[in-house]
Amino acid sequence: MAQELCPNCFEPGYQGGSCRRCGYQKGYDKKGSGKALPPGTLLRQRFYIGKLLGEGGFGLTYKAFDTRAGKICAVKEYAPNGLCIRTADGRTLELTSRDQEMPYRAGLRRFLDESRILSRLAWASPKLEQEPTSKYFFCLGDHASTSQDFTFKS
């Protein structure tokens, strides 16, 4: 993906924070805590990260593009508030202190349990995918409006 793609519609033609195709404006994006992956990050040589859809106590959800399937999807990242920060490389999360390891691991178990439960639903496709530096599950579907619209890869 040599050209910069729009973080909303994933089409070429995104320049200066705006997209000629869909009208997306970077200035209207969710600001979040600053912990989000930057748009344009490629995970697993497959998932092109777009805009931040939401951020909660458990983690972050991104609009993304599955380059293998050629479809818009969502990626959920385990990044608990107050327990970890994004490092200078822009990809890795690290604990704010060693004292946070137990609560981090307890939350991670709940995050992975959630992905396993979702994978058991009739419309789900079970598969756990993890990056070595963080934990993600991938939500595949035809559009990325709500989490109920996806097949969770977990």
Side-chain angles (χ1 to χ4, degrees):
M1 301 202 149
Q3 291 184 328
E4 189 171 3
L5 301 181
C6 171
N8 183 58
C9 71
F10 301 98
E11 294 290 331
Y14 180 70
Q15 292 180 321
S18 74
C19 179
R20 294 180 304 222
R21 184 178 179 277
C22 73
Y24 168 81
Q25 298 289 316
K26 182 179 180 180
Y28 299 134
D29 242 356
K30 294 183 185 301
K31 298 299 182 229
S33 66
K35 199 174 7 178
L37 290 167
T41 300
L42 190 62
L43 298 177
R44 302 185 66 79
Q45 299 299 308
R46 178 177 177 181
F47 298 96
Y48 185 90
I49 297 297
K51 69 181 188 173
L52 179 66
L53 291 175
E55 181 174 5
F58 223 26
L60 304 116
T61 304
Y62 307 94
K63 191 170 189 179
F65 186 75
D66 180 345
T67 60
R68 191 177 308 151
K71 293 185 177 188
I72 292 175
C73 62
V75 171
K76 187 168 182 179
E77 178 181 27
Y78 178 63
N81 283 340
L83 299 182
C84 61
I85 57 171
R86 183 85 52 203
T87 62
D89 72 4
R91 291 182 64 107
T92 307
L93 290 171
E94 70 180 15
L95 294 177
T96 55
S97 77
R98 273 282 165 215
D99 297 339
Q100 303 297 349
E101 189 168 353
M102 295 268 299
Y104 176 88
R105 290 191 182 284
L108 178 59
R109 280 191 300 275
R110 289 192 305 274
F111 178 80
L112 295 174
D113 287 346
E114 176 187 342
S115 68
R116 287 183 193 104
I117 289 166
L118 290 169
S119 73
R120 290 185 198 120
L121 298 175
W123 43 265
S125 173
K127 188 174 180 201
L128 179 64
E129 300 206 28
Q130 299 180 22
E131 287 277 298
T133 57
S134 194
K135 304 296 182 235
Y136 303 91
F137 65 88
F138 303 92
C139 314
L140 306 178
D142 292 330
H143 57 290
S145 58
T146 66
S147 60
Q148 292 90 336
D149 294 329
F150 303 108
T151 301
F152 287 79
K153 294 293 230 185
S154 50

